[in-house]
Amino acid sequence: DRQGLRPATFQELLWIGIQHPLLQLEFPIIALGTMVQVHGGRSVAYLHRLDRERRLNLVWYGNVWLEGCRFAAVRK
């Protein structure tokens, strides 16, 4: 907030993936700006890789974030 940023939404995360397709191969990118209810728990979208393939998934919001992951943010 102090830096004039807010958490990226699901749509903004997809746009990041389009603009920078190799970025998610380096580290997972999480968008906290859109939460969805899945099986009674809150989840957020994230870009990541499996082997060398790009992936989009949901992760439980209360998850312990992996070291090296990044949180997508956009200007307010």
Side-chain angles (χ1 to χ4, degrees):
D1 221 18
R2 288 176 281 160
Q3 295 177 351
L5 300 171
R6 63 169 175 73
T9 65
F10 172 76
Q11 291 89 350
E12 290 162 339
L13 179 68
L14 291 177
W15 188 244
I16 290 168
I18 290 168
Q19 289 181 319
H20 308 282
L22 301 179
L23 199 58
Q24 74 193 76
L25 299 177
E26 296 179 36
F27 42 75
I29 306 168
I30 302 163
L32 297 176
T34 303
M35 260 186 254
V36 295
Q37 198 81 13
V38 178
H39 302 294
R42 296 180 304 171
S43 295
V44 293
Y46 75 108
L47 297 172
H48 66 104
R49 71 178 177 130
L50 182 60
D51 296 321
R52 292 296 294 168
E53 290 185 20
R54 298 170 61 217
R55 299 288 175 120
L56 169 68
N57 260 322
L58 294 175
V59 65
W60 178 53
Y61 178 72
N63 197 29
V64 175
W65 307 113
L66 298 173
E67 186 175 323
C69 67
R70 303 293 194 275
F71 296 92
V74 295
R75 288 189 177 92
K76 288 183 174 184

